[in-house]
Amino acid sequence: MTLPSPPALRIRNLHKRFDRPAVDGLELTIAAGEFYALLGPNGAGKTTSLRMVAGLLVPDAGSIEVYGIDALADPLAARQVTAWLPDEPMIYDKLTPLEYLEFVAGLWGVPAGEAAREADVLLRGLDLWHARDSRCEGFSRGMRQKVALAGALIHNPSLLILDEPLTGLDTAVARQVKDILTARAAAGATIILTTHILEVAERLATRIGIIQAGRLIAEGSLQELREAAAQHRLGVPGPGAGRPETLEDVFLDLVSGSRTESPAARADAA
Amino acid sequence: MSASLGRVPVAGSIRLLLGHELRLWRRRVSDARRRWGRALPMVLVAVALVLHLVAFGAVRMLNRVPERIDDALVLPLLGGALVMLWSLLLAQALTAATRAFFEAGAIDLIHTAPIPPDRIFATRALAVAVITGGPFAIFILPLAHMGLVQGTPTWLALYPVLAALSLSATAGGMALALLLVRLVGPRLTRSLGQVLAVLIGTGLGMAVQGFNRLPTEDKVAILSGLSGQTEGVLPTLGHIAADLGRTLTGDLLALSWLGVGSVALFLLSVAALGPAFQRARALAGGAAETLPAQGRRSGKARGPVFGRGIAATLRHKELRLLTRDPWVLMPVLQRSIALVPTCLALAGLDSSGNLVLALTAPMLVVFAGKLAGGLAWLTLAAEEAPELIATAPVAAARVARAKVEAALIAMAALFGLPLLLLAVQDPAVAAATALGCVAATGSATLLAMAEPRRNARRDFGDRFRNSAGFAVAELAVTLGWAAVAWCAVQGQLLAAAGIAASTFALLAGAVSLLRGPKATAPAPSSSKPA
């Protein structure tokens, strides 16, 4: 008998308050190897939640476990297996992409041979090879985002957290980023991303969570969410009744309701 | 709808643009009021009172000066004082004009609006004039008020004189900034403009110190020439200076000439330089082009070194960034040059007569303190990718230690050779200087570590603006160690020990005050909660 591996991320009763509650009792479990999209309207608490997972914010209450490691008690161990990629690329203008990768690999203590090989693969795969010796100061937003993504991947993280990674990228660059994320997920990495581009979540994610007012209001595969939204419509009188087709319909239906239970909760109740 | 908007100025009018600037200024003042709370009015009244008290004494002393010097020299000396004031205004205007090229963000909105460029330039030029004259007004105008109180209303002439000099200095500063852009390009203008401003601002101060060191007979000859008692170029200069000085006596004709001339010069520069300013601004905006790091490199010969230790990786990154962008340290050089006239004046107190050696110790210590403070700020507070560092599996203390080590390595590299050369000249002076440099470096680094604010690297020149306490502490502690080195070189060891103890106490107090309450977040970030 083999013991089940711990989930990539387990969040319990997470709270964070600024002027008002930003995250309000969030419960979230993501299995290892999942490609998870976290959706929600502006100010719903997506970025705040993920910043707490990355160790950039201290929660007011709750617990965070990354692959079974208590991220609040042992943050360095949790960071060792995690990569964080915010919407604003975290790069240095005066360094070249190759030097940037050298720096990030050094921070994560990646062995020299492995880092050199991985840098080569990433720079070629992200079409940065021709610019590997040019300083980043003149790069376009897409180039900068690709350099940052290469940095996030060079230490081969088990958990990759991306906050709006495709914002402001042109179609070609967005495609490259999506391809490389899909490949990583296929290789066994767990990927969590927030996005406002619902088509990205619809096409890439194996599971989607919708967060509103700091709480998870719905979660499941696209199919499960459709059913949840359809049930929600049944309870709403008027022309909106019927089965929602796109994720956009589902998303708008679910966040427009004041309180909605997750499909899992509905199943439990049934 | 239109009625609810009330009186809207004509689209793109100078009134609208100036109103916009004024509103932004009012918001900044109200922010300060919020920060200081009820204490602000009291602080302002107290500062005004102190300035007027100092001005009262100064006016009393200056009113007696004409009794003590040759009548023929009074007006040229007043004119000389105004030339010195103008050079300081010119330096300030050059700095403000250079900054105007690189302003971005909200100002881009104005530049993309369908407003004639000369109108935008006129508003920017007026803003530069206010920025230029404003700080001087705070210190100079109390003299006018106290002159009136003491029964010499001619001091009120300072009002129109300062306004006129500010306008003409603005015209000069704008022209100089544009000339620099033309000569060296926008990238270097930002740094060289600052250096040139310091040289202009301190040039006359150095010249006065140089004059003080001349033999007495030479000084008498120059003063005789300026008062018109000899022939040559000096009497002409004396005449011009006297005409300028006449404005301070309330001479209406002289004041009219100065006023009309300055306004005309300002308007002429606005009309003539507007298009060039727009071009320079556009050039500055596109100045950050892709630059090869060191040309193409073969992966094995000079490529990156993977597999360094974490501390070595961090140190290497910081040193690499410093060597890639040495211009970022230009404000340190700027402030250090500004101290030269003061040091020259201090050197007059030296008993040994060896000017160079006497100057070296305190100047090197001051330079060390300022440079170390700057380097520590760049490595600790101006981290470009704080979230990358904060999410790396490295303890914050280890990161800070590696960064401080990088700053200290840079200091050792910069100061090793000068100290070695000094040691060859005079080992005792070198030892005192080295100790002073180490103390100043350590203190400045400790202060930078205690200052919790995060900043962008490009804001290096303005790093003191956000924290007056940090600025005062760094200056006071650095000057304290310079005084210790000075006393040690002069052989006054007891005084050196006393000042060292006071400086150490000051440092300890400043560090504990700056630290304040501990932040709850493990890493600051520019991102807002979402």
Side-chain angles (χ1 to χ4, degrees), chain A residues 18 45 48 51 55-56 58 76 79-80 84 90 92-94 96 98-99 102-103 106 108 112 115 130 133 135, chain B residues 290-291 293 296-297 304-306 308 310 313 317 320 324 383-384 387-388 390-393 520 522 525 529-530:
Chain A
F18 296 107
T48 303
R51 285 171 64 79
L56 292 166
V58 177
L76 295 192
R79 287 181 208 165
Q80 187 68 53
W84 162 251
M90 309 182 292
Y92 298 88
D93 281 350
K94 299 286 175 193
T96 69
L98 201 52
E99 290 164 348
E102 172 202 326
F103 175 60
W108 263 262
H130 65 287
D133 288 328
R135 293 182 193 174
Chain B
T290 309
L291 294 177
R296 290 279 176 203
R297 302 179 301 189
V305 181
F306 288 105
R308 280 196 188 95
I310 289 170
T313 298
K317 184 268 281 183
R320 195 176 243 165
R324 292 274 163 89
E383 170 58 52
E384 276 179 278
E387 292 195 356
L388 175 70
T391 54
T520 50
S525 159

Side-chain angles (χ1 to χ4, degrees), chain B residues 14-28:
Chain B
I14 288 185
R15 191 184 136 209
L16 181 137
L17 295 171
L18 282 177
H20 174 69
E21 297 280 343
L22 194 66
R23 178 186 288 159
L24 293 179
W25 180 78
R26 276 208 312 264
R27 292 284 148 82
R28 280 196 287 272

Side-chain angles (χ1 to χ4, degrees), chain B residues 75-419:
Chain B
L75 287 178
L77 283 179
L78 282 176
L82 287 186
V83 171
M84 192 177 276
L85 174 61
W86 192 81
S87 73
L88 293 172
L89 286 164
L90 180 66
Q92 178 86 356
L94 175 60
T95 307
T98 312
R99 278 191 183 164
F101 294 143
F102 294 94
E103 276 179 334
I107 196 78
D108 283 341
L109 173 70
I110 295 171
H111 282 275
T112 53
I115 305 171
D118 54 346
R119 206 176 288 170
I120 299 174
F121 181 64
T123 318
R124 304 307 302 151
L126 272 174
V128 169
V130 171
I131 293 167
T132 299
F136 287 88
I138 293 169
F139 294 99
I140 287 174
L141 295 183
L143 293 170
H145 308 151
M146 289 300 102
L148 188 66
V149 168
Q150 292 180 39
T152 42
T154 47
W155 280 93
L156 288 175
L158 276 171
Y159 268 91
V161 166
L162 182 62
L165 292 184
S166 299
L167 284 176
S168 56
T170 299
M174 291 274 190
L176 259 180
L178 286 168
L179 187 68
L180 269 181
V181 172
R182 176 71 63 90
L183 290 178
V184 298
R187 192 179 272 273
L188 278 179
T189 294
R190 197 171 200 172
S191 309
L192 283 186
Q194 292 171 356
V195 178
L196 189 61
V198 175
L199 291 177
I200 292 169
T202 55
L204 272 175
M206 289 193 209
V208 169
Q209 289 304 325
F211 175 80
N212 282 340
R213 296 188 168 279
L214 286 175
T216 311
E217 57 269 26
D218 290 350
K219 282 198 257 190
V220 170
I222 291 172
L223 290 176
S224 306
L226 285 174
S227 58
Q229 291 165 25
T230 57
E231 289 185 356
V233 74
L234 282 176
T236 314
L237 285 177
H239 262 302
I240 296 170
D243 284 342
L244 195 58
R246 209 162 273 125
T247 57
L248 283 181
T249 64
D251 184 314
L252 282 179
L253 187 66
L255 274 173
S256 307
W257 273 114
L258 181 68
V260 170
S262 297
V263 171
L265 192 65
F266 179 77
L267 292 177
L268 199 69
S269 73
V270 167
L273 302 177
F277 174 83
Q278 285 297 98
R279 271 199 306 278
R281 211 185 160 277
L283 272 174
E289 67 246 17
T290 309
L291 294 177
Q294 289 159 12
R296 290 279 176 203
R297 302 179 301 189
S298 69
K300 281 184 183 170
R302 297 170 63 197
V305 181
F306 288 105
R308 280 196 188 95
I310 289 170
T313 298
L314 279 160
R315 279 197 302 269
H316 189 71
K317 184 268 281 183
E318 294 300 342
L319 291 171
R320 195 176 243 165
L321 291 180
L322 286 173
T323 52
R324 292 274 163 89
D325 195 14
W327 293 108
V328 78
L329 288 167
M330 197 52 80
V332 173
L333 179 65
Q334 191 185 5
R335 292 195 180 94
S336 302
I337 296 171
L339 288 167
V340 171
T342 317
C343 288
L344 279 170
L346 275 174
L349 306 170
D350 176 47
S351 52
S352 68
N354 191 338
L355 177 66
V356 175
L357 277 183
L359 271 176
T360 305
M363 277 183 66
L364 267 182
V365 172
V366 167
F367 192 37
K370 294 212 142 291
L371 196 63
L375 286 169
W377 186 91
L378 280 172
T379 56
L380 292 165
E383 170 58 52
E384 276 179 278
E387 292 195 356
L388 175 70
I389 304 291
T391 54
V394 190
R398 200 171 173 196
V399 172
R401 199 165 60 233
K403 283 168 168 271
V404 167
E405 282 166 7
L408 296 181
I409 288 170
M411 285 297 293
L414 286 166
F415 282 79
L417 188 63
L419 286 173

